[in-house]
Structure formats: structure tokens, C-alpha cells
Amino acid sequence: MKHLLKLLDLSTEEIIDLLNLADQLKYERKHNIPHPHLQGKTLGMIFQKASTRTRVSFETGMVQLGGYPLFLSANDLQIGRGEPVQDTARVLSRYLDGIMIRTFAQQEVEDLAKYGSIPIINGLTDFCHPCQVLADLMTIREYKGSFQGLKMCYIGDGNNMANSLIVGGLKVGMEVSIACPKAYQPDEKVLAFAKANGGFTMTDSPIEAAAGADVIFTDVWASMGQEGEAQQRKIAFAGYQVNDALLEAANPECMVQHCLPAHRGEEITAEVFEAHAKEIFDEAENRLHAQKAVLVKVMG
Ligand code: CP
Ligand code: NVA
């Protein structure tokens, strides 16, 4: 594995390998067993959007692996003043051992990989959020033991999270159902993959999608960069909420997951969030372990 640009690029075997390594790194951290796989290596972290989890987990993850993380805000880089990504990629490749980038266009991440000569990790684009979904898959396997026979459901916007969950869930062999308004469906490339793969259903009825689910995901109605559409989206997504009534349709032991940040009273009720807080914060913790696995695979 050279880069992590999107889950569509990874085989099932590569995903499972990453999850196994993540479990091992989590075990080692819990038992204070050092794992300095990236001694002396430097990761540049470019952020064009806000972040709590991604920034802090990558930064501490690099330190735990014996490496050095460099936080690079796009506001301070020349990229923020229009220096082309092709040039940024070639320059940073001369200094760093890897780059994590959070940005808007997926093409920018693909271009960094194309023009640079070091591993590139996607820390979220408008198209996908592969690091998050690796942590999500890790958490599901931790709670359920395996992916076999599980139904994963996603309620809400057909956004970066929906795109990555569909691909990740199907690649590890889960059944995947999603409910979203007709005007807010996932990316066409993702839908084409899902249809060809099988085991996928899409509806505009949340109750239908949640029927018999073993894990239900949701995400914000307005993502970073869509703040101006927030009002219009509140209307479009009314009814696409993870609440007690929806959970009645799911399996009794159904997990609830949320990548965070969450908007209580919008995509999820405060009651459901708090009832499933342990699962949700385990999911957030697993960002650290899953990303360390990615760092070791691409930079080790
Ligand atoms: N879930 C997630 O990526 O969180 P941040 O935006 O805080 O990094
Ligand atoms: N869909 C959200 C995910 C945040 C982690 C966003 O892009 O803002």
C-alpha cells in the first residue's frame, strides 16, 4: 500500500490487514509496549478545514510511533495563496516522509500523490473519509466479533461519510443499506461500485433502511463547506434522524456510530447519543489506532 487516497483503491485483504494491525497497536498501547515503527520519520499534516479528532490522533499517533508530526495550516502555507498543488507536492516530498491532507476536492489529494514522491493519506475530502471508516470498521469488529452476517445502515446525507461507509462496509462483506433524500444521494462512482458488488440497498425511507440493522450510522446534515446551505438542509433532512422510533426497527443489539462532531436534535437525538456514548467514543478512540496502522503501512 503506497497511499491511502480512498477506500475504493484498497482490496478487502488490505483493509483487513490494516484492521489487524490497528488491533495489535491498540493492544500494545494499552499494555505500554513501545512500537517505534516510524523512528526519525516526519509527517506533514495539511489542514484546509477544521479538525479535532483527525489532527490530534494523527499528531499523537506519530509521536507514539517515534516520528514527528508537523501541523501545516493552509492559511499559513503558500497553497492558501494559490501555489499549485503540483509544486507543493514536489517541494514537500524533498523534506517529509509522508503527508496527511484534509481538504475539499478529492482531485487535490490525487494530485499530491501523482506529483509527489512520498505517501499521501486522505484525512477527509468532500468525497470521502477513509481514515474515519477504518476506525468505524475496527469498532464494529471489536463489538461484534466479525463482519459476517451483519447489516450496516446509514441515515442522512449522501456525503463523504456515506461514500466511505458504503465502500468499506461492502468490501468487508457486510450488507449495507442507506436512507437519504433523493436530492442528496451518494457519489455516482460509489453507487456504481455498490450496485456491481451487490448486498446494497438505497431508499428514501429511514425505517426501511434501519430494518434488522446491526449498526446504524449517521452524520451531520451540513458538512464543512456547506454552512451556507444549513437552513435549506434542515428542511430537506427533517425525518432523517436516528431516534428511539428508528432503533425499534433495528436489531435489539444494534450499535449506533457517529464520526463526530454531532448535532443533537438534528441527525441524532440526545437520548440515543447518550445511550450509545460508549460505542461512539470507542469509535473516536479507534481513530488513533487505525491511523497508526495506516501510517505504519504506508511510511514504515
Ligand atoms: N470525525 C472527524 O474526522 O473529526 P474531526 O473533524 O474533528 O477531525
Ligand atoms: N461530513 C462531515 C464529516 C466530519 C468529520 C464533514 O465533512 O464536515
Side-chain angles (χ1 to χ4, degrees):
M1 213 177 114
K2 185 147 189 268
H3 306 286
L4 176 60
L5 307 180
K6 54 188 180 297
L7 292 181
L8 276 171
D9 298 337
L10 267 51
S11 65
T12 299
E13 199 179 27
E14 283 173 316
I15 295 175
I16 299 294
D17 264 7
L18 281 169
L19 300 182
N20 291 343
L21 179 56
D23 285 349
Q24 185 190 327
L25 292 167
K26 181 169 185 174
Y27 176 88
E28 289 175 359
R29 173 153 170 80
K30 300 279 170 204
H31 292 84
N32 289 317
I33 302 168
H35 38 250
H37 299 287
L38 299 182
Q39 197 84 55
K41 304 245 166 127
T42 304
L43 176 77
M45 310 190 303
I46 304 176
F47 282 92
Q48 312 240 35
K49 292 175 175 171
S51 170
T52 296
R53 282 143 288 270
T54 305
R55 178 188 172 173
V56 179
S57 56
F58 265 107
E59 197 158 332
T60 52
M62 269 308 279
V63 172
Q64 290 166 18
L65 290 166
Y68 187 83
L70 209 59
F71 175 73
L72 304 167
S73 161
N75 296 331
D76 304 325
L77 292 174
Q78 295 288 8
I79 209 170
R81 294 180 56 245
E83 183 170 16
V85 71
Q86 295 92 315
D87 297 355
T88 306
R90 284 177 285 188
V91 170
L92 294 182
S93 293
R94 308 284 181 115
Y95 306 141
L96 301 167
D97 301 294
I99 294 174
M100 193 255 31
I101 178 166
R102 165 168 288 196
T103 188
F104 295 87
Q106 178 69 17
Q107 193 56 47
E108 202 171 312
V109 179
E110 306 276 342
D111 283 348
L112 270 183
K114 182 171 169 199
Y115 292 98
S117 54
I118 54 175
I120 306 298
I121 299 170
N122 183 340
L124 179 146
T125 59
D126 292 343
F127 173 64
C128 65
H129 198 359
C131 291
Q132 177 69 50
V133 169
L134 288 170
D136 298 344
L137 296 174
M138 178 182 177
T139 314
I140 295 170
R141 200 171 67 161
E142 220 166 58
Y143 274 81
K144 300 287 185 188
S146 88
F147 297 116
Q148 210 172 358
L150 295 185
K151 175 173 172 178
M152 171 203 271
C153 166
Y154 174 89
I155 306 288
D157 188 16
N159 61 12
N160 42 15
M161 278 304 299
N163 288 333
S164 286
L165 282 168
I166 292 168
V167 175
L170 291 175
K171 285 206 180 209
V172 299
M174 286 188 283
E175 188 188 326
V176 176
S177 67
I178 100 150
C180 55
K182 289 206 166 67
Y184 295 93
Q185 292 186 351
D187 186 89
E188 277 179 17
K189 283 190 294 297
V190 168
L191 293 181
F193 165 80
K195 281 172 193 153
N197 184 86
F200 174 71
T201 48
M202 184 166 71
T203 163
D204 58 8
S205 157
I207 289 279
E208 209 177 285
D214 299 291
V215 51
I216 293 184
F217 283 85
T218 188
D219 187 17
V220 290
W221 292 343
S223 285
M224 289 182 276
Q226 298 170 336
E227 289 78 6
E229 297 172 26
Q231 276 317 316
Q232 159 197 340
R233 283 171 170 269
K234 269 188 193 162
I235 298 164
F237 288 100
Y240 289 81
Q241 184 186 62
V242 178
N243 53 32
D244 285 327
L246 186 86
L247 283 176
E248 296 261 308
N251 273 341
E253 297 298 306
C254 183
M255 294 170 70
V256 174
Q257 296 274 269
H258 195 307
C259 64
L260 305 174
H263 291 179
R264 291 165 176 78
E266 293 187 15
E267 77 274 4
I268 190 165
T269 60
E271 293 73 24
V272 168
F273 186 93
E274 291 306 332
H276 292 269
K278 171 144 190 342
E279 290 154 21
I280 292 170
F281 291 107
D282 280 341
E283 173 189 15
E285 177 189 331
N286 284 341
R287 291 294 304 277
L288 172 69
H289 311 298
Q291 275 155 211
K292 282 165 73 182
V294 171
L295 288 165
V296 171
K297 283 280 180 201
V298 300
M299 287 169 67

